[in-house]
């Protein structure tokens, strides 16, 4: 960090994190046009905690309808194409997609035959898994039973029918 003035509140974008020992990390970040590297050991407080904070975070579902100048989406194996679309469409500008390599690698290895599970995962295998996961479609299900609405209509229970229609339109 020598040569760069970094004070409380300085914002940077983390480009790389590498574990350094059990409880420390080496971090490479971009601050403006400058790239800086530092160890969390050098910025730890008296209790050994690194004094770093992250930007605002939310889930994909909470972010529906919101827009931000830039977004970072942490993609995991539970994502499908609908989740990816929602996450990717939140940013007006830059969108960064981030994966947990260890989690993706574990999924790749789990799908392998037992005798090949110890082999290292390649970038091509990660890409293939992500393409498969992020292109799948998930079908939405409803907890409302349409047959109940049909029975109410057949028996002439107009109040019950209006109430169910209101519930249906509220959920859609």
């Amino acid at each position: 960090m020598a040569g760069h003035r970094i004070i409380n509140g300085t914002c940077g974008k983390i480009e790389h994190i590498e574990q350094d020992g059990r409880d420390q990390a080496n971090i490479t970040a971009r601050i403006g046009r400058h790239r800086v590297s530092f160890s969390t050991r050098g910025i730890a407080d008296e209790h050994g905690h690194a004094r770093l904070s992250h930007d605002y975070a939310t889930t994909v579902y909470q972010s529906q309808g919101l827009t931000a100048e830039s977004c970072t989406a942490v993609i995991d194996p539970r994502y499908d194409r609908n989740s990816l679309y929602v996450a990717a469409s939140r940013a007006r500008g830059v969108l960064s997609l981030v994966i947990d390599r260890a989690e993706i690698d574990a999924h790749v290895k789990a799908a392998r035959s037992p005798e090949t599970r110890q082999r290292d995962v390649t970038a091509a295998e990660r890409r293939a898994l992500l393409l498969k996961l992020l292109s799948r479609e998930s079908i939405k299900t409803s907890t409302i039973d349409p047959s109940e609405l049909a029975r109410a209509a057949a028996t002439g229970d107009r109040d019950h029918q209006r109430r169910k229609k209101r519930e249906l339109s509220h959920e859609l």
Side-chain angles (χ1 to χ4, degrees):
M1 291 195 308
H4 300 290
R5 182 159 166 76
I6 298 174
I7 58 171
N8 188 21
T10 298
C11 292
K13 181 176 181 180
I14 294 177
E15 294 182 336
H16 184 74
I17 300 175
E18 187 175 292
Q19 191 168 355
D20 174 22
R22 184 167 174 235
D23 296 326
Q24 303 298 322
N26 290 318
I27 299 174
T28 302
R30 181 163 299 282
I31 299 173
R33 291 181 285 150
H34 302 284
R35 179 177 279 145
V36 297
S37 294
F38 58 92
S39 171
T40 53
R41 195 179 317 273
I43 60 169
D45 62 13
E46 63 275 0
H47 303 288
H49 302 171
R51 308 271 305 169
L52 296 172
S53 64
H54 58 80
D55 203 354
Y56 182 74
T58 185
T59 66
V60 168
Y61 300 102
Q62 289 173 327
S63 72
Q64 285 185 325
L66 301 177
T67 304
E69 290 304 316
S70 65
C71 293
T72 300
V74 180
I75 307 299
D76 65 39
R78 292 174 293 277
Y79 263 66
D80 60 16
R81 71 181 182 188
N82 296 327
S83 300
L84 179 62
Y85 174 78
V86 172
S89 62
R90 300 306 91 203
R92 277 190 198 100
V94 176
L95 167 69
S96 299
L97 299 177
V98 178
I99 64 165
D100 178 346
R101 186 180 290 181
E103 187 174 13
I104 298 299
D105 287 1
H107 273 75
V108 170
K109 287 180 178 184
R112 289 179 177 170
S113 63
E115 55 275 359
T116 62
R117 286 190 182 141
Q118 296 306 316
R119 198 179 74 229
D120 287 342
V121 176
T122 66
E125 289 176 301
R126 278 186 211 100
R127 257 191 308 280
L129 176 68
L130 287 168
L131 286 171
K132 178 182 172 190
L133 294 174
L134 298 176
S135 64
R136 72 188 160 173
E137 181 177 14
S138 62
I139 298 172
K140 306 289 183 188
T141 57
S142 174
T143 58
I144 297 175
D145 183 5
S147 62
E148 187 180 324
L149 187 59
R151 272 195 302 278
T155 60
D157 184 356
R158 294 199 183 278
D159 183 48
H160 180 75
Q161 189 175 4
R162 270 189 241 118
R163 208 170 48 248
K164 280 296 182 188
K165 279 184 181 177
R166 224 178 18 250
E167 288 174 11
L168 278 171
S169 65
H170 175 72
E171 292 206 5
L172 298 175

